[in-house]
Amino acid sequence: RGQQELNTLRQGLGSLASAQYRSGGIDPSLALFLSSNPDDFLDKASSLDQLSATQAEALTKIQGKQRTLAQQRKEAQDKLKDLADTSKVLDDKKKEVQGKLGDAQKLLNSLTAQEKAALASDESRANRSTERPNLGKDVPASQVGAAALAAAQTQLGKPYSYGATGMATFDCSGLTGYAYRQAGVNLPRTSQEQANAGTRIGRSELKPGDLVLFFGDLHHIGLYAGNNMVLHAPRTGTVVRYESMDNMPFQFGVRIG
């Protein structure tokens, strides 16, 4: 659209220039001397001055439009580069996830029928267990943490869905983000970003409502519920539930507020 506007301005300037060229371009004093009607010539000269002013204004508009268009093109090129970089990162992440899924499928295929049945039974029992377990008597470190944990507890039993932030379904960071929004705090979207949203703490320092990060690449997050239990949205096929922190490789905690 900007280029079209610039082209329109240029066409208008070209028409002005053509009209000026057709008027002759001889010295004004000589033209006045040769004119058979000096009054008519002076009227035309006044019109020509107005035409020149219009031409100058058109030139200014064109210069401004050219500068704006150049800036817009540069911004567009920068955004295209950012999109290309992001696309590459997403493609690499997709390949990584596909590799992990392949490894997980190989592991699952290596299990005996009895082991698969036991695993399915444990998973089904864990999903049905939405009652509050023994969480001990630890006190949250802040009202914010207490409010976040309370909000997360209202979502027990909701299904896991990758990329979901509520209210019907959640992924792990979607649940923690939702919980802290109810407490008046906006967290970043992903678990890796949320890992840097507050003060990092060790396992012995954890209080109910603190964020807890798992796995070396920090791809999983939940809320510490007390007594070595985490409240989280585990993975596809599960629901928001309590679970022992010993079931996953704990990395560190994060205290918000």
Side-chain angles (χ1 to χ4, degrees), residues 3-246:
Q3 185 62 55
Q4 290 174 348
E5 292 173 5
L6 180 59
N7 291 340
T8 300
L9 289 171
R10 283 174 170 167
Q11 290 171 359
L13 185 63
S15 299
L16 290 173
S18 297
Q20 198 171 46
Y21 176 77
R22 287 194 299 270
S23 68
I26 63 174
D27 182 83
S29 59
L30 181 60
L32 177 60
F33 179 76
L34 295 174
S35 175
S36 59
N37 189 337
D39 289 337
D40 182 55
F41 173 80
L42 291 174
D43 289 340
K44 289 181 179 179
S46 177
S47 298
L48 188 59
D49 286 341
Q50 293 176 2
L51 189 65
S52 297
T54 301
Q55 190 176 25
E57 183 181 353
L59 277 171
T60 301
K61 286 183 179 179
I62 286 176
Q63 290 171 340
K65 179 59 69 175
Q66 285 176 324
R67 285 193 296 269
T68 301
L69 195 57
Q71 179 65 28
Q72 289 173 340
R73 280 179 173 152
K74 182 180 183 305
E75 291 174 357
Q77 289 169 350
D78 291 343
K79 288 178 181 178
L80 283 173
K81 183 178 182 303
D82 289 342
L83 286 172
D85 292 342
T86 301
S87 179
K88 183 179 183 306
V89 170
L90 290 175
D91 187 54
D92 292 342
K93 182 62 68 174
K94 181 179 179 180
K95 291 178 181 177
E96 179 185 346
V97 171
Q98 288 174 334
K100 289 181 178 179
L101 286 173
D103 293 340
Q105 190 61 53
K106 289 178 183 177
L107 179 61
L108 185 61
N109 292 339
S110 70
L111 298 178
T112 66
Q114 185 177 0
E115 288 171 331
K116 289 180 181 179
L119 183 64
S121 177
D122 290 343
E123 194 64 59
S124 176
R125 185 167 54 254
N127 278 342
R128 290 196 304 270
S129 180
T130 57
E131 294 182 3
R132 177 171 175 152
N134 179 15
L135 301 179
K137 297 181 179 180
D138 285 344
V139 177
S142 68
Q143 291 183 344
V144 170
L149 180 58
Q153 288 170 334
T154 66
Q155 303 305 306
L156 284 165
K158 295 287 184 70
Y160 176 98
S161 179
Y162 181 75
T165 58
M167 294 279 293
T169 60
F170 294 92
D171 66 7
C172 65
S173 56
L175 176 64
T176 52
Y178 163 82
Y180 268 91
R181 279 197 304 277
Q182 310 317 301
V185 177
N186 289 319
L187 295 180
R189 175 62 186 92
T190 67
S191 58
Q192 290 89 347
E193 292 172 323
Q194 291 179 8
N196 297 311
T199 304
R200 294 192 180 188
I201 54 178
R203 188 161 185 161
S204 63
E205 301 173 272
L206 290 173
K207 296 293 183 182
D210 289 336
L211 297 175
V212 280
L213 279 296
F214 300 93
F215 299 97
D217 61 356
L218 307 180
H219 73 261
H220 189 62
I221 192 169
L223 290 105
Y224 185 66
N227 196 29
N228 200 42
M229 301 293 289
V230 59
L231 176 54
H232 67 152
R235 59 190 172 277
T236 300
T238 66
V239 299
V240 176
R241 69 192 191 196
Y242 294 106
E243 190 167 345
S244 170
M245 286 181 40
D246 295 333

